[in-house]
Structure formats: structure tokens, C-alpha cells
């Protein structure tokens, strides 16, 4: 096992993509599960805070240590087993999503949920309950975690199989390997939208769901078994350009209706607003006349021609031109579309870097019936702020990433105030403060606004049950005074 105790050797482990900077005394890089058990137990006994680090692509400071030790599981990166018949893969937490995908390809399998940035680790994706571009059809990683092996702060190894241990009347009461577990769950109701913020709680819930999305605060994930899928025979994707945002939103609503009637079933439905296209115009100058775009991906198992015709009709009915639509069903065409979609975050990062600023963004989601009101609010607040902004993302799940792009500190301050208003508006519409990035250290105040102090205390008590000295992922989700 490698242990680094000179700060200069582990500077990059003190931050994630949020720009939050932490501090720590040492970094552990175990190579085997038994080493993880020893480290965790040692930290438990000596009361050393321990923060788990995945690939550090997180956006909310979850892996940023607030003192003590860092536990990086990047060397625990084996895919232990791929079972093509049962479509199950058992793997270490340090496996990156891109590596998993290339191994699955050899068996004509894929992980369709494709949760999040491809450099993220499986451990990080599970611990933030991540979801990705295909969330519209497949949901997040939570739906595919079948087994987890978790190390608790006293070194206990908890092996959890989905479908075996359920809560009853707001609490869990079970034994694993002769040890009894009995604890109450927080009594809040999670918002009925795409959501990843705070502990997962539901009546009759599966124990495994408590650990998924717990952001390294209850235990360390050292192994997971995921359900994967067979690769689709045919897939096509499109970018449909619109002359205004209204038509794009009407198009999305129409597609959602067709989905309800089982007529179309896109795996992705993503939106670009006028400002996003203005940004992209630097690289794609011919986008001049367009004010909005919708990206979709469609898998087709049968009736390719009929499905294609339905899409073409929907596109034309919504006032877009088929001639202006980018269509991709060959490798080359799909790569062009992929490039277009990924250009935006890249351009945004370059912009912010040039002004020495960081992005100030929301991760809220609301229900279908509230989306239009939320959208009006985004526009209103964006225009009033006088700060550059772009709004894009997972419109299928009413989950847009509203990004302010401040040019100086006073704009940055204004943007933060506006994001708080966006969060409050989403909550007033029954939405969530975090649909996919989690809470980490940066969104704790939003979680408290969402659930209130009483329910935060219930979360603290749940954590105390598993981690009496509050050592794991210290500073994530809530503060403990
Ligand atoms: C360009 C970009 C695009 C992104 N797109 C998406 C997106 O589409 N969807 C989405 O959900 N997120 C997205 N994210 C956010 C980020 O990729 C996810 O939150 C991801 O799941 C983090 O994984 P990671 O391995 O980088 O974890 P880290 O950032 O290292 O850690 C995240 C959290 O997980 C905990 N953790 C890590 N490993 C373990 C473990 N083995 N056991 C216990 N706890 C652990 C950490 O302590 C921390 O709290 C994006 C980020 C970037 C930079």
C-alpha cells in the first residue's frame, strides 16, 4: 500500500471540479480490500477523519477532505467478473466508467445508464447516485446496483444484496454475520422528481438504497455488482434546431406525450437555449439563425422505418425543418453530434478561465407540470441578473443546468444570489435542490432549506448510528456541531 504524507505529493487530491480546496495530513492508496479494512478501522480507532476520493470529477466538494486522511481507491480498479448471460458485472470502486464501457464492449454489452462524466469512478458514481444523458429512459445508476460491499468505520464488512433487506415502519432491523443492526430512518419524503440529495428514504425501502447516494458518509464502497445491458442493434440521434425556444419546448412536450402512448421511446432528450447556441456559434458559425436546439437519441430494436417516420413528422409538426436537422446513424455522423454536445462545457470552461472565475450553476429539477413555470423563472432571473448565463441539459427530466458565467467577483456574488432564488423557486414547485450532483460540502444550505432543521437532525442521527464520531466524509451533507 502506498501512503503519502507530504502535502506536495497529494495536492490534486485536495480539490475536485468545484474549485473548493481542502486540507489533509496524508493520503492512503490501498491496492486490496483488506488494506481498506485496516485503514478504515485504524481511522475509526484513532478518531481520524477519513474522506474517500474517487476520480474527483464531483462538482460539490464531496471528495474534498476537511482534515485527517484521504482514502483514494483508484488502485482498487479491477473488473472482477463479467457474466454475459446474466448481464452482471462485479467490479472494484476505482474502475472508471470509460474503462468499464470498453471492457463491456468485448462481450457486446454496455452500461446504458451511462451515469455521468466518463472519467468518474464507479465508487463515486454510486456514492453520488449519479445519472447521465440517458437518464430519461434508463434513470440513474441506482436502478442497476444489485450488490454492494461496504466497509463501516469499525472495519465491519457489510455485504448487501438488493431484494433481501427492507425497512419497515421507518426503521431497519436486521442481522448480518451475527451482528444486529437496528436504526430509524429520517421521516422526510423525498421530492417525486429526479433527485440526488441527502439520504434515500422511502417506506419499505431496500437497504442497498441507503448507501447509494450517501456521499461517503456511512461507509466505503469496496465492491459493486451492476446490471448491464446488451448493446442496441440500431441507434440514431439527432439535433433539431428551432427558430425560438418556445417551439423547442413544445417539441419536447409532444415527444413526452408520444412516449406516454408508447409511440416513441428516446433514451435522451436534451435542450440548448439561445445563449448556449450563441456560445457554440464561435465554433459553428452557421448556427446563426437558430435560437434553440433539442438533442435526442433513439434506440430501435424493430420497425426502424416507422420509428424514423414518426420522428420526422414530430419534427416537422413542431415547426423545425428536416433540412436543418442533424441526423446521425453512422459512426461519423454520430461523432459529429457527440462533438457538438461536448463542445459547450469546454467553451464555458475556457470562458471562465479567461476571467479567472468559476461557474455558478443550479442542479434543480421539477415535475412535468411545473416545468414551464420554472422555465419562465429561469428566463426572468437570468435577464434581471445582467450576468451572462446559459441554460441547457436534461429537459426530458425537467432538469436543466442553469449556468451563470460571471466575469468578475461582483457578478459572481450576484449569480450566487440568483441561484438561491432558483433553488427556492424549484422547492416551491415541489422540486429538488439536487437532481444529480449531490450535496457535498457546497449545497448543504440548500439541503437544509429543502428539508428543514428537524429532518437534518434525523440525518445526523442516522449517520451517528453508523459513524459515532462523524469521521467519514466529514463536512458532507450537513455540519455536525
Ligand atoms: C464535465 C462533467 C460532467 C458531469 N456530468 C455529470 C452528469 O451527467 N451526471 C452526474 O450525475 N454527475 C455529473 N458530473 C459530476 C460527477 O462526475 C459525478 O458526481 C460523479 O459521480 C463523481 O464521481 P467521482 O469518481 O469523480 O467521485 P468524486 O468526485 O471523487 O467523489 C464524489 C463523492 O463520492 C464519494 N466516494 C467516492 N468513491 C467512494 C467510495 N468508493 N465509497 C464511498 N464514497 C465514495 C466521495 O467521498 C465524494 O463524496 C459531471 C462532472 C463533470 C466535471
Amino acid at each position: 500500500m502506498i501512503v503519502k504524507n507530504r502535502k506536495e505529493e497529494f495536492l490534486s487530491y485536495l480539490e475536485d471540479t468545484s474549485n473548493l480546496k481542502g486540507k489533509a495530513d496524508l493520503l492512503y492508496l490501498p491496492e486490496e480490500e483488506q488494506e481498506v479494512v485496516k485503514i478504515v478501522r485504524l481511522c475509526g480507532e484513532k478518531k481520524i477523519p477519513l474522506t474517500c476520493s474517487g476520480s474527483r470529477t464531483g462538482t460539490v466538494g464531496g471528495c474534498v477532505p476537511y482534515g485527517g486522511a484521504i482514502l483514494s481507491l483508484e488502485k482498487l480498479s479491477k473488473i472482477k467478473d463479467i457474466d454475459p448471460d446474466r448481464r452482471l458485472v462485479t467490479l472494484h470502486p476505482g474502475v472508471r466508467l470509460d474503462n468499464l464501457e470498453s471492457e463491456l464492449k468485448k462481450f457486446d454489452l454496455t452500461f446504458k445508464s451511462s451515469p455521468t462524466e466518463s472519467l468518474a469512478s464507479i465508487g463515486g458514481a454510486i456514492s453520488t447516485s449519479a445519472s447521465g444523458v440517458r437518464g430519461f429512459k434508463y434513470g440513474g445508476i441506482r436502478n442497476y446496483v444489485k450488490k454492494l460491499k461496504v466497509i463501516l468505520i469499525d472495519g465491519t464488512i457489510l455485504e448487501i444484496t438488493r431484494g433481501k433487506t427492507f425497512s419497515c415502519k421507518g426503521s431497519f432491523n436486521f442481522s448480518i454475520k451475527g451482528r444486529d443492526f437496528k436504526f430509524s430512518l429520517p421521516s422526510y419524503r423525498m421530492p417525486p422528481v429526479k433527485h440526488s440529495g441527502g439520504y434515500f428514504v422511502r417506506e419499505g425501502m431496500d437497504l442497498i438504497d441507503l448507501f447509494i447516494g450517501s456521499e461517503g458518509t456511512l461507509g466505503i464502497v469496496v465492491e459493486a455488482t451492476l446490471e448491464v445491458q446488451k448493446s442496441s442493434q440500431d441507434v440514431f440521434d439527432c439535433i433539431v434546431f428551432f427558430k425560438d425556444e418556445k417551439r423547442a419546448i413544445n417539441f419536447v412536450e409532444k415527444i413526452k406525450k408520444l412516449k406516454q402512448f408508447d409511440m416513441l421511446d428516446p433514451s435522451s432528450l436534451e435542450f440548448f437555449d439561445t445563449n448556449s447556441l450563441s456560445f457554440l456559434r464561435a465554433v459553428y458559425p452557421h448556427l446563426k439563425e437558430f435560437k434553440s436546439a433539442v438533442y435526442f437519441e433513439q434506440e430501435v430494436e424493430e420497425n426502424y422505418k416507422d420509428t424514423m417516420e414518426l420522428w420526422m413528422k414530430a419534427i416537422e409538426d413542431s415547426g423545425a425543418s428536416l433540412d436543418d436537422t442533424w441526423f446521425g446513424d453512422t459512426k461519423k455522423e454520430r461523432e459529429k453530434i457527440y462533438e457538438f454536445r461536448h463542445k459547450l462545457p469546454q467553451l464555458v470552461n475556457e470562458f471562465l478561465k479567461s476571467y479567472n472565475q468559476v461557474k455558478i450553476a443550479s442542479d434543480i429539477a421539477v415535475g412535468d407540470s411545473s416545468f414551464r413555470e420554472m422555465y419562465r423563472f429561469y428566463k426572468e432571473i437570468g435577464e434581471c441578473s445582467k450576468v451572462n448565463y446559459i441554460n441547457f441539459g436534461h429537459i426530458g427530466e425537467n432538469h436543466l443546468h442553469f449556468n451563470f458565467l460571471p466575469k468578475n467577483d461582483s457578478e459572481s456574488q450576484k449569480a450566487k444570489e440568483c441561484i438561491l432564488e432558483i433553488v427556492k423557486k424549484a422547492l416551491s414547485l415541489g422540486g429538488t435542490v439536487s437532481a444529480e450532483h449531490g450535496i457535498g460540502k457546497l449545497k448543504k444550505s440548500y439541503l437544509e432549506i429543502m428539508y428543514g432543521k428537524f429532518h437534518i437532525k434525523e440525518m445526523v442521527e442516522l449517520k451517528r448510528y453508523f459513524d459515532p464520531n462523524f469521521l467519514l466524509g466529514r463536512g458532507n451533507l450537513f455540519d455536525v456541531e
Side-chain angles (χ1 to χ4, degrees), residues 404-423:
F404 278 112
L405 312 174
K407 287 188 187 146
N408 53 50
D409 292 349
S410 93
E411 285 192 357
S412 173
Q413 183 52 34
K414 178 76 193 163
K416 281 181 192 153
E417 289 161 16
C418 292
I419 291 290
L420 181 59
E421 292 310 310
I422 287 173
V423 163

Side-chain angles (χ1 to χ4, degrees), residues 52 54-58 62 73 116 121 125 127-128 131 221 436-437 476:
C52 195
S55 295
R56 298 179 300 287
T57 68
L73 297 178
T116 190
S121 68
S127 303
T128 56
S131 51
V221 174
E436 68 180 13
H437 290 172
N476 283 355

Side-chain angles (χ1 to χ4, degrees), residues 429-474:
L429 296 172
T432 177
V433 300
S434 176
E436 68 180 13
H437 290 172
I439 299 298
K441 302 187 173 65
L442 293 180
K443 298 202 169 165
K444 286 185 276 197
S445 59
Y446 299 164
L447 190 68
E448 190 170 322
I449 298 173
M450 179 159 98
Y451 283 141
K453 277 194 188 331
F454 174 75
H455 291 312
I456 296 287
K457 272 193 186 151
E458 288 181 322
M459 275 191 250
V460 171
E461 288 316 309
L462 174 58
K463 168 141 172 93
R464 192 195 304 279
Y465 181 82
F466 283 97
D467 177 15
N469 295 302
F470 299 96
L471 301 171
L472 292 176
R474 183 171 277 187

Side-chain angles (χ1 to χ4, degrees), residues 40-102:
V40 177
R41 190 181 289 137
L42 177 86
C43 288
E45 283 166 6
K46 300 213 177 269
K47 299 194 177 43
I48 300 169
L50 184 65
T51 303
C52 195
S53 180
S55 295
R56 298 179 300 287
T57 68
T59 63
V60 290
C63 65
V64 176
Y66 276 6
I70 306 164
L71 173 64
S72 169
L73 297 178
E74 70 199 55
K75 299 207 177 290
L76 223 63
S77 58
K78 255 195 221 123
I79 297 181
K80 295 174 95 174
D81 183 50
I82 296 182
D83 180 339
D85 297 328
R86 294 167 69 212
R87 296 180 193 161
L88 292 175
V89 50
T90 299
L91 71 181
H92 275 154
V95 174
R96 277 182 4 197
L97 287 167
D98 55 354
N99 293 338
L100 169 63
E101 204 51 42
S102 44

Side-chain angles (χ1 to χ4, degrees), residues 33-34 36-42 44-45 148-160 174-181 207 211 218-222 465-468 472:
E33 187 185 303
Q34 271 318 308
V36 182
V37 175
K38 268 191 203 158
I39 296 162
V40 177
R41 190 181 289 137
L42 177 86
E45 283 166 6
L148 277 187
K149 199 189 266 190
V150 181
I151 313 288
L152 303 182
I153 192 66
D154 61 0
T156 300
I157 301 175
L158 213 54
E159 291 191 58
I160 312 168
F174 61 92
S175 299
I176 289 186
K177 289 188 196 151
R179 178 169 164 190
D180 295 332
F181 290 83
L207 178 64
F211 288 90
L218 299 180
I220 305 296
V221 174
V222 286
Y465 181 82
F466 283 97
D467 177 15
L472 292 176

